[in-house]
Amino acid sequence: MDLFDNLVLGFSTALLVQNVLYCFVGVLLGTAVGVLPGIGPTATVAMLLPITFNFEPVTALIMLAGIYYGAQYGGSTTAILINLPGESSAAVTALDGHEMARQGRAGPALAAAAIGSFIAGTVATVVLAVAAPPLAAVALKFGPADYFALVLFGLIVSIALARGSALKALAMIALGILLGTVGQDIYTGTPRFVLGQRELYGGIDFVSVAVGMFGIAEILRNLENERDRPSVLDRVTSLWPTREDRRRIVGPIARGTGLGAALGVLPGGGHVLASFTSYAVEKRISKRRSEFGHGAIEGVAGPESANNAAAQTSFIPLLTLGLPAHPVMALMVGAFIVHGITPGPNVITDEPALVWGLIASMWIGNVLLVLLNLPLIGIWVRMLRIPYQVLFPMIVLFAVIGTYSLGSNEYDVYAIAFFGILGYVLIKCGCEPAPLLLGFVLGPLLEENLRRALIISRGDATVFLTRPISATLLALTVAALAIAAFPAIRKRREVVFAEED
């Protein structure tokens, strides 16, 4: 009965006119920006994040979630039509989706992606609603030592699922934690790494880091790799799959949904792992194995379903533990904090309308996504023909205006430029900025719980080993670090992320 009452509360909140309106706007904006080649969900959410900060908390989070869904769908659209995935999880879709487009079957590929995403999103939302309350109740039993071990475990596991070198991913996490310590000490108020700059006493602004590292840096990288659009854009005709197509996508959607719902809670890149695993499973069990890589519709429906299901269940660790499963969830943590809400187990009891309104809005957002994007596919195709040099200055302008409007401080604009250049340099050096953002967001939480645990234990560091929960998590952390360093695991990670080479 509690679940039913919570869902009633959630839908009564999510169905308010302003929340439905901003959910629709979020889906529309997310798709419009996410459909741009090379711009994935993380960059899209980062650039559109500032426009939500003047709203009520529940409205802002509902809009951000809509932007996330829209950006994911936009990324699959570019992957299918022009073979330019916005993120790693969409790269699997491009393998068969773009081949279908080249064969004149872009419409059925886009429809399979949309249908699979909707079904998976609906099921995963139910999983989220059922799983969140009991997990939050368990999380309330965590002490500072347990939280420290949990955050450390999440950061280390994210290394194993990061693209490229594990050592570089570890270095990016360390750099993110270091940037998170800038400002006044949380207990003594002593300035740290402020370099005599008054603006740094309050710490580095999260929005500036997010917009710079993921927005500006991605734009610079894509401008460098600008190339002509393939002629496949002229071949989008009927969107409705044939009866044979519909029969072939039922199984992949079901299996992809299950895999995505289970793997989405993993820190670092569960949605990426879900997409690749779904594709591998479908290829292994298919009777048409030779078609994979040459236009198999199962290779679109399965990974897209897994990706969308994982996107929904990645909210579970955010809402129950306050831990982001991947960079987009780290941006959501920033949105919570900006609105004065601390994500974690208490938020479900302290802000029930917000949490359950957000969960209910996920279903509404997925409905709007299907109703909006399939009829508007012609508009997205036309947008893909607009040159980068025209679109990206406009996006940068709106991102800068939105960030400046938060505090009317020109320092924030300089910070965006600095972190944009830093992010671009890191990308050129083969370092992904995603672990840096996770370290930046989780670093203060890591430090606070470390110092709190030591204060409570009067400096006795064995407190982390004498508590069963923290000792278990630390053992898993050491195991995860060792596994990520094994040569066989490193080789497997290189194979998984080889699609962008």
Side-chain angles (χ1 to χ4, degrees), residues 92-169:
V92 191
T93 304
L95 295 176
D96 284 284
H98 186 61
E99 286 299 317
M100 291 181 66
R102 293 180 62 186
Q103 297 165 14
R105 304 190 66 233
L110 291 167
I115 293 169
S117 295
F118 172 72
I119 294 174
T122 301
V123 173
T125 301
V126 175
V127 173
L128 171 59
V130 172
L135 284 176
V138 172
L140 287 172
K141 300 177 182 179
F142 278 34
D146 304 322
Y147 256 111
F148 168 80
L150 179 65
V151 174
L152 186 63
F153 174 65
L155 288 173
I156 296 302
V157 170
S158 70
I159 294 174
L161 297 176
R163 182 189 296 108
S165 166
L167 184 60
K168 289 181 179 178

Side-chain angles (χ1 to χ4, degrees), residues 10 34 36 60 71 98 137 200 272 290 322 362 415-416 426 428 433 444 453 467 472:
L36 300 177
H98 186 61
L200 290 178
V272 179
S290 61
M362 295 177 185
I416 290 176
L426 290 174
K428 297 298 288 184
R467 290 182 61 89
T472 302

Side-chain angles (χ1 to χ4, degrees), residues 20-174:
V20 174
L21 174 63
Y22 283 111
C23 184
F24 173 82
V25 172
V27 169
L28 182 64
L29 287 176
T31 306
V33 179
V35 80
L36 300 177
I39 299 294
T42 305
T44 302
V45 174
M47 287 187 289
L48 297 178
L49 184 65
I51 68 176
T52 67
F53 288 159
N54 293 323
F55 301 152
E56 291 295 320
V58 64
T59 303
L61 293 170
I62 286 174
M63 184 175 179
L64 280 175
I67 291 172
Y68 182 28
Y69 317 141
Q72 278 197 309
Y73 185 83
S76 65
T77 301
T78 57
I80 291 170
L81 293 180
I82 61 175
N83 200 25
L84 278 180
E87 62 170 352
S88 297
S89 58
V92 191
T93 304
L95 295 176
D96 284 284
H98 186 61
E99 286 299 317
M100 291 181 66
R102 293 180 62 186
Q103 297 165 14
R105 304 190 66 233
L110 291 167
I115 293 169
S117 295
F118 172 72
I119 294 174
T122 301
V123 173
T125 301
V126 175
V127 173
L128 171 59
V130 172
L135 284 176
V138 172
L140 287 172
K141 300 177 182 179
F142 278 34
D146 304 322
Y147 256 111
F148 168 80
L150 179 65
V151 174
L152 186 63
F153 174 65
L155 288 173
I156 296 302
V157 170
S158 70
I159 294 174
L161 297 176
R163 182 189 296 108
S165 166
L167 184 60
K168 289 181 179 178
L170 181 60
M172 287 299 96
I173 287 177

Side-chain angles (χ1 to χ4, degrees), residues 418-440:
F418 171 78
F419 284 107
I421 296 172
L422 176 63
Y424 176 73
V425 171
L426 290 174
I427 290 171
K428 297 298 288 184
C429 293
C431 299
E432 284 297 314
L436 185 148
L437 185 65
L438 290 175
F440 179 75

Side-chain angles (χ1 to χ4, degrees), residues 358-373:
L358 177 62
I359 292 174
S361 76
M362 295 177 185
W363 187 83
I364 298 171
N366 277 284
V367 172
L368 291 174
L369 191 65
V370 174
L371 296 178
L372 175 69
N373 283 306

Side-chain angles (χ1 to χ4, degrees), residues 163-452:
R163 182 189 296 108
S165 166
L167 184 60
K168 289 181 179 178
L170 181 60
M172 287 299 96
I173 287 177
L175 178 58
I177 293 175
L178 181 64
L179 291 174
T181 62
V182 173
Q184 292 179 298
D185 184 277
I186 55 177
Y187 288 105
T188 66
T190 304
R192 302 184 297 188
F193 310 116
V194 297
L195 305 176
Q197 299 296 314
R198 178 177 54 84
E199 290 84 357
L200 290 178
Y201 273 69
I204 298 175
D205 184 60
F206 168 81
V207 180
S208 300
V209 175
V211 174
M213 296 290 289
F214 286 96
I216 307 301
E218 283 293 325
I219 286 175
L220 292 175
R221 177 165 68 171
N222 285 301
L223 285 173
E224 179 184 3
N225 297 326
E226 169 68 334
R227 64 190 191 189
D228 294 333
R229 309 287 194 268
S231 59
V232 73
L233 293 179
D234 299 323
R235 305 180 191 173
V236 181
T237 54
S238 173
L239 287 172
W240 194 245
T242 64
R243 178 177 295 182
E244 175 67 9
D245 289 336
R246 295 196 296 271
R247 185 186 65 79
R248 289 174 60 178
I249 65 176
V250 171
I253 289 176
R255 288 185 288 270
T257 299
L259 285 170
L263 297 175
V265 298
L266 295 178
H271 60 307
V272 179
L273 184 61
S275 296
F276 277 88
T277 303
S278 174
Y279 188 84
V281 168
E282 296 307 321
K283 186 175 181 179
R284 182 175 295 274
I285 69 175
S286 176
K287 297 178 181 178
R288 304 178 177 86
R289 191 175 301 181
S290 61
E291 291 186 19
F292 280 78
H294 302 283
I297 196 168
E298 296 93 338
V300 176
E304 279 298 305
S305 301
N307 186 30
N308 201 275
Q312 309 285 5
T313 56
S314 64
F315 279 87
I316 292 176
L318 172 68
L319 295 176
T320 59
L321 301 171
L323 299 179
H326 52 80
V328 175
M329 292 300 105
L331 295 171
M332 296 292 287
V333 169
F336 271 95
I337 294 172
V338 166
H339 286 286
I341 299 170
T342 303
N346 289 317
V347 76
I348 291 182
T349 53
D350 296 344
E351 301 282 350
L354 184 147
V355 172
W356 291 101
L358 177 62
I359 292 174
S361 76
M362 295 177 185
W363 187 83
I364 298 171
N366 277 284
V367 172
L368 291 174
L369 191 65
V370 174
L371 296 178
L372 175 69
N373 283 306
L374 289 181
L376 294 183
I377 189 61
I379 294 178
W380 309 138
V381 169
R382 292 185 182 90
M383 283 188 62
L384 288 172
R385 295 192 178 97
I386 301 175
Y388 274 59
Q389 292 85 347
V390 175
L391 282 174
F392 285 159
M394 298 168 55
I395 298 173
V396 172
L397 176 64
F398 285 120
V400 170
I401 291 174
T403 304
Y404 178 78
S405 67
L406 297 179
S408 299
N409 190 342
E410 63 184 24
Y411 169 80
D412 294 332
V413 179
Y414 297 141
I416 290 176
F418 171 78
F419 284 107
I421 296 172
L422 176 63
Y424 176 73
V425 171
L426 290 174
I427 290 171
K428 297 298 288 184
C429 293
C431 299
E432 284 297 314
L436 185 148
L437 185 65
L438 290 175
F440 179 75
V441 171
L442 294 178
L445 183 63
L446 189 75
E447 179 192 8
E448 181 181 356
N449 284 287
L450 171 64
R451 296 176 67 175
R452 186 180 296 171

